[in-house]
Every structure is written in structure tokens, then in C-alpha cells.
Amino acid sequence: MATVDKIRSQLIDKILAIKNKDFLEALDKLVASSSSPSDLVELTAEQKEMLEMSENDIENGRLISQEAMNKRNLEWLNGQ
């Protein structure tokens, strides 16, 4: 049986591949309605480290636009 982290990771991968805006909005409503403020997620040490690294990138101006990231992702997906 898959662990919660593995299931979460697989769902994230699938969600990232969805292009249909209406579907994503419906999924967002479903997820929002199924969680409560008391459903806090405990972050792993690795997740906390990644967030700290992200904050450091932001503070030091190591950013790219969403458009540039989309282009980079498409190139990677197409094997170019």
C-alpha cells in the first residue's frame, strides 16, 4: 500500500499535467471543501529545508517568471 507522501506526490504530478481550467477549479473546490483548518500538515525536515532555500532564492533575486518556467517545462516535456 502506498504511503501518504507517495500518494500526495503522485497527485501533484497528475495535477501539474492538467490543462483544463474548469476541471482545476472544480478540483480546487473539492479539496477546499474536504479540508478543515484543523487538518494541519506536518512538514518533513527536507520540506522545511526546501522552503528555506526558496526564501533564500527570493531574497537574492534568483527568480524567473511563470511564463519562462512554463516554456522551460514544455521544452523539457518535449525532450528539447
Side-chain angles (χ1 to χ4, degrees):
M1 187 159 116
T3 65
V4 172
D5 289 335
K6 184 175 181 179
I7 294 169
R8 183 180 299 119
S9 179
Q10 290 170 342
L11 283 170
I12 290 169
D13 290 343
K14 291 174 185 175
I15 290 169
L16 289 172
I18 297 171
K19 303 284 189 243
N20 184 311
K21 181 183 175 192
D22 293 332
F23 184 89
L24 288 171
E25 287 175 345
L27 183 60
D28 182 48
K29 288 179 186 177
L30 177 67
V31 171
S33 70
S34 67
S35 62
S36 68
S38 64
D39 291 339
L40 297 178
V41 175
E42 184 67 30
L43 299 177
T44 66
E46 292 83 6
Q47 290 169 322
K48 290 176 184 176
E49 183 179 358
M50 290 298 294
L51 289 171
E52 289 172 7
M53 290 169 63
S54 296
E55 288 293 327
N56 185 274
D57 285 340
I58 292 168
E59 290 171 5
N60 291 294
R62 293 187 298 263
L63 307 169
I64 64 170
S65 69
Q66 184 64 45
E67 183 178 297
M69 178 58 77
N70 291 344
K71 181 179 178 187
R72 183 184 290 182
N73 288 341
L74 283 174
E75 289 172 353
W76 179 81
L77 287 170
N78 293 323
Q80 297 180 2

